[in-house]
Amino acid sequence: MLYKNIHIGKYIKEMVDHKNIPIERICNFLGKDEEFVENVYESQSIGTDILLRWSKLLEYDFFRLYSSHLILYAPPAAANKNTTPKSDTTPQFRKNIYTQEIKDFILNRIESGEMTQAEVIKEYSIPKSTLHRWIQKKR
């Protein structure tokens, strides 16, 4: 799965098809009509409240797709960036948290020859030692 361009409606439709959920159940759960559901399948993005309902219905965390995108494609933080005041209590995005899906995605790109280790390190800002540790564990 590529995390760069997310078409959430396509992923929702795939999961509905995979789980064989009838349209009537979907409409009842969401409190919407069939036209709304079809529009969701065509939508590249939807509201978080609706996405949360879909996640519950399909028992799949669709927000993880966006988290994976951030891990892979967010620009690296500046090393000496000190613009955040210490009293700031908002959650900070940590780029050093890699899910198993992300690790598998990266390792599959290397194994398939799509990317070299050096390209992965440069493109995704993954430390060389971290990448080598993943490769060793996979063997």
Side-chain angles (χ1 to χ4, degrees), residues 44-55:
Q44 186 167 354
S45 63
I46 60 175
T48 55
D49 55 333
I50 298 297
L51 187 59
L52 181 60
R53 301 226 6 117
W54 279 104
S55 294

Side-chain angles (χ1 to χ4, degrees), residues 6-19:
I6 299 169
H7 189 291
I8 197 65
K10 182 180 93 174
Y11 293 121
I12 290 172
K13 175 72 170 140
E14 286 177 11
M15 189 62 73
V16 167
D17 292 343
H18 176 73
K19 293 195 174 222

